[in-house]
Amino acid sequence: GSVNAKLRGVHLANMPVHAAEFVLPDGREIVAAGRRRYFYTVDVETGAATRVETLRDQQESSLERMFAQPSAPWIAFCGDDGRVKLVCARTKLPAGCVKMNARATAA
């Protein structure tokens, strides 16, 4: 509709959100990323936000370009120098990396 009620507001400390996607088939979790070396997961039902730093030790300067969808088991983050980092959607642990010869601008 043209006017919808706000369900929940969530504050993510020190991170302007550049990308956010629902993950997991039940749609209970949102992954939010920005120009930081970490991302947040937000539980839709409780509103609890959790900072995830599993890629912090990598060479990436930011995780603002990402792709995820509820039916996919992975979250893809476009990194520096053509790297695309894959993170498991359930555990949020690094699962792999794909390297392109050119800069990756979309996952």
Side-chain angles (χ1 to χ4, degrees):
S2 60
V3 178
N4 294 327
K6 180 179 174 180
L7 292 176
R8 182 173 308 278
V10 177
H11 174 73
L12 303 177
N14 193 26
M15 190 184 78
V17 176
H18 285 256
E21 299 277 350
F22 283 96
V23 294
L24 304 180
D26 60 5
R28 291 184 50 185
E29 192 172 63
I30 297 172
V31 171
R35 289 188 175 168
R36 301 290 185 267
R37 297 179 76 183
Y38 52 87
F39 60 95
Y40 280 92
T41 61
V42 179
D43 187 311
V44 173
E45 291 182 358
T46 64
T50 305
R51 185 171 161 166
V52 181
E53 299 190 27
T54 57
L55 297 175
R56 192 164 177 86
D57 61 341
Q58 307 292 328
Q59 299 296 323
E60 310 312 323
S61 58
S62 91
L63 301 174
E64 65 187 287
R65 294 184 317 265
M66 64 165 277
F67 175 78
Q69 66 183 68
S71 61
W74 313 112
I75 304 167
F77 292 97
C78 291
D80 299 332
D81 300 325
R83 287 187 296 271
V84 178
K85 302 287 185 164
L86 298 174
V87 175
C88 179
R90 283 192 301 123
T91 63
K92 309 305 180 280
L93 294 174
C97 178
V98 178
K99 173 76 168 95
M100 297 178 52
N101 292 336
R103 183 174 180 249
T105 57

